[in-house]
Amino acid sequence: MKEIADILKAYQKATKEHKKMALATVVKVEGSSYRRPGARMLITEDGQLTGAISGGCLEGGALRKALSAIHQQENKLITYDTTDEDDAKFGIQLGCNGIVYILFEPIKTNDILNPIELLQAANQRRENCVIATLFSLNSKNQPGSLMLFREKDYLDKLPEEISGALKNDAFDALKLKTSKFETYSIDNTEVEAFLEFIPPPIQLIIAGAGNDAQPLAEMANILGWEVVIADGRQTHSTLQRFPNAKQIIISKPDGILSKVKIDEQTAFVLMTHNYNYDREFLNILLNTNAAYIGTLGPKKKLIKMLEELGVNNSINEERVHGPIGLDIGAETAEEIAISIIAEIKTVFSGGSAIKLREKKESIHFTN
C-alpha cells in the first residue's frame, strides 16, 4: 500500500499541474522477476516516475512506452523477455531469467473510474479489496483496470458478458485472501484477468511515547504503515515528537481500544517501560483479534505478566512476542526499531527471517 499511497500523491500533484500521465502495472510474470504482479509505477509526460516495476532495469524503457501510450491514448501491453542469456541485446540486463508483462494505461482524469481512481477508492477504507486488471496476450485491445471489488460494494465498468463471472471470481479471491488469474472471452477474444488481492496497510499501535518509540514510528511510516501512538503522558504524546503518526491517544489502557479499530492487519508493541501499564494493556489485547502483540524487555517479564494474568503462554505464543524483535545484535533505539520492524514484517508476510543465502528456492518472485 505504500507504493499505492505514493502514486496517489503524485497523481494529485500532476493533476493540479495539468500533466498527462500513464500507469504501468506488472500484470504477469513467467519465471523470475524483481517485482511480482501488482507492482505499479506512475509516469508523467515530463518523465517523473513514482513507484517501481523492477529494480531499475525496466524504468528507462517503461518511460518511452508510457509516453507512447499517453500520446496515442490507448492501453498497451509490453513484454520484456530476459530468458535469453544474451539479454544485453534488450538493453535492460535484468539477470532475472523471466518474462515480464507490463500494462501501460494512459490516465484520463475525466474518467471517474480510471485506474488511479480505483486505487484511490481502495486506499480510502481499511478493508480488503480486489482490483481486476484485464489484458490480452493475443490481441491489440487491452481492456485494463476495470473493477474494484469489496465484500459489500464494488466499482466497475466491466463488459456485461463477463461481469457476473468476474465478480464471482473476485469474491473467491477476497475470501481466500490471495491474488489469482482467470481467463474470459470478450467479443470472442480471450482475455486474462489479474485479480489482485490488496489488504489494508499494517496498522502499528505503539503503546509508549518514549524516545525509543520515535525511531520505530518513523521507520514504520517509511514503510507506509499507519502508526498510532498510545500513552498516558501528555508531555510525551505530542505531534511534535511523532509528526507522522496518524493518531495520538492519551489514555489509560482501558480507554485506548474504543478509539482504534483492530483488524487482522493490526500489530501492537508494548514499550511504555511501565510494568503495570503493559500488563493491563496485554490483558486487554489477549481478548482481541490483534494478529501481533510484542512486548519490549526480557522474556521473564512477559512470563511474569502472563502468570499474573492467569494465562497459558503456550496458547498465545504464536501472536504474543517477547522479547520483541529479531536477533540482529541490536543495541541502540534505532537498531532495536529495525529488529522490531523486521519481526512484524516477517509475521505478516509469512517470511522465514533466514539469511537469503540459505534459501534453497529463488529469492525472486515467480509464477
Side-chain angles (χ1 to χ4, degrees):
M1 290 297 286
K2 173 64 163 59
E3 190 166 69
I4 291 177
D6 289 343
I7 286 173
L8 292 176
K9 290 179 182 178
Y11 170 71
Q12 292 170 358
K13 183 175 184 292
T15 300
K16 289 179 180 179
E17 296 172 352
H18 305 289
K19 294 180 182 178
K20 295 179 180 179
M21 64 198 98
L23 182 69
T25 305
V26 177
V27 293
K28 187 173 183 177
V29 171
E30 296 174 3
S32 298
S33 174
Y34 190 86
R35 296 296 306 272
R36 61 180 170 181
R40 294 179 173 86
M41 183 171 70
L42 184 71
I43 305 105
T44 61
E45 60 182 328
D46 60 347
Q48 294 296 312
L49 309 178
T50 304
I53 53 174
S54 75
C57 311
L58 296 180
E59 275 64 13
L63 174 58
R64 293 189 292 272
K65 299 301 182 183
L67 293 177
S68 175
I70 291 171
H71 176 71
Q72 298 179 27
Q73 285 296 290
E74 65 177 25
N75 297 344
K76 294 180 177 293
L77 183 72
I78 305 298
T79 304
Y80 294 92
D81 186 349
T82 64
T83 56
D84 190 325
E85 292 183 0
D86 186 22
D87 66 2
K89 67 185 180 184
F90 293 98
I92 48 182
Q93 291 92 29
L94 282 179
C96 294
N97 197 33
I99 302 174
V100 184
Y101 300 88
I102 299 177
L103 181 67
F104 294 86
E105 300 175 87
I107 304 303
K108 301 173 183 177
T109 55
N110 61 344
D111 180 1
I112 61 174
L113 290 182
N114 72 50
I116 302 295
E117 292 299 332
L118 294 180
L119 294 177
Q120 179 70 56
N123 194 55
Q124 284 176 342
R125 304 199 317 237
R126 284 194 61 83
E127 293 182 30
N128 293 333
C129 68
V130 171
I131 287 183
T133 305
L134 279 66
F135 59 98
S136 174
L137 301 182
N138 305 310
S139 171
K140 189 176 180 181
N141 181 36
Q142 304 297 334
S145 304
L146 301 182
M147 183 182 73
L148 167 73
F149 187 91
R150 286 183 288 239
E151 185 176 5
K152 296 181 180 179
D153 64 350
Y154 59 85
L155 301 170
D156 82 286
K157 50 182 179 179
L158 294 168
E160 186 63 30
E161 60 189 304
I162 68 167
S163 178
L166 198 150
K167 287 172 184 173
N168 286 337
D169 290 330
F171 178 80
D172 290 340
L174 196 65
K175 185 176 181 180
L176 296 172
K177 300 177 183 177
T178 184
S179 300
K180 59 187 295 191
F181 290 87
E182 297 291 345
T183 302
Y184 307 95
S185 178
I186 301 177
D187 295 331
N188 297 318
T189 299
E190 184 178 279
V191 297
E192 291 189 48
F194 171 44
L195 301 175
E196 181 188 6
F197 173 74
I198 303 177
I202 292 173
Q203 177 181 226
L204 177 62
I205 301 178
I206 304 174
N211 292 346
D212 55 349
Q214 290 177 294
L216 177 61
E218 286 303 304
M219 290 180 191
N221 177 68
I222 290 172
L223 294 176
W225 298 1
E226 295 182 355
V227 178
V228 177
I229 302 297
D231 196 297
R233 299 169 294 179
Q234 293 184 359
T235 55
H236 288 63
S237 307
T238 66
L239 279 175
Q240 288 72 27
R241 288 171 55 77
F242 298 94
N244 294 310
K246 181 179 181 181
Q247 186 179 4
I248 294 179
I249 303 171
I250 303 173
S251 173
K252 294 180 179 179
D254 58 4
I256 293 173
L257 295 193
S258 63
K259 297 182 173 115
V260 295
K261 179 182 178 182
I262 299 177
D263 54 37
E264 58 191 10
Q265 287 287 103
T266 299
F268 281 87
V269 174
L270 307 183
M271 54 189 308
T272 66
H273 301 282
N274 182 318
Y275 179 84
N276 292 330
Y277 191 105
D278 284 354
R279 183 187 60 186
E280 183 180 349
F281 206 175
L282 176 61
N283 188 38
I284 296 171
L285 294 177
L286 291 175
N287 296 312
T288 70
N289 64 340
Y292 178 99
I293 304 168
T295 64
L296 192 69
K299 187 172 184 178
K300 62 182 181 181
K301 171 189 171 183
L302 174 59
I303 294 174
K304 182 181 178 182
M305 286 194 295
L306 291 171
E307 288 178 347
E308 291 178 357
L309 295 174
V311 175
N312 185 342
N313 186 38
S314 61
I315 297 176
N316 296 281
E317 61 183 5
E318 287 190 5
R319 68 187 187 116
V320 179
H321 304 259
I324 192 172
L326 299 182
D327 182 10
I328 61 171
E331 181 68 25
T332 66
E334 290 77 11
E335 293 168 349
I336 292 171
I338 291 173
S339 169
I340 294 172
I341 289 286
E343 182 179 64
I344 295 173
K345 172 61 179 174
T346 299
V347 169
F348 279 95
S349 65
S352 64
I354 65 172
K355 295 178 181 178
L356 288 177
R357 68 181 183 184
E358 295 175 0
K359 289 193 69 170
K360 295 181 179 179
E361 63 274 17
S362 171
I363 65 172
H364 296 288
F365 300 107
T366 61
N367 270 10

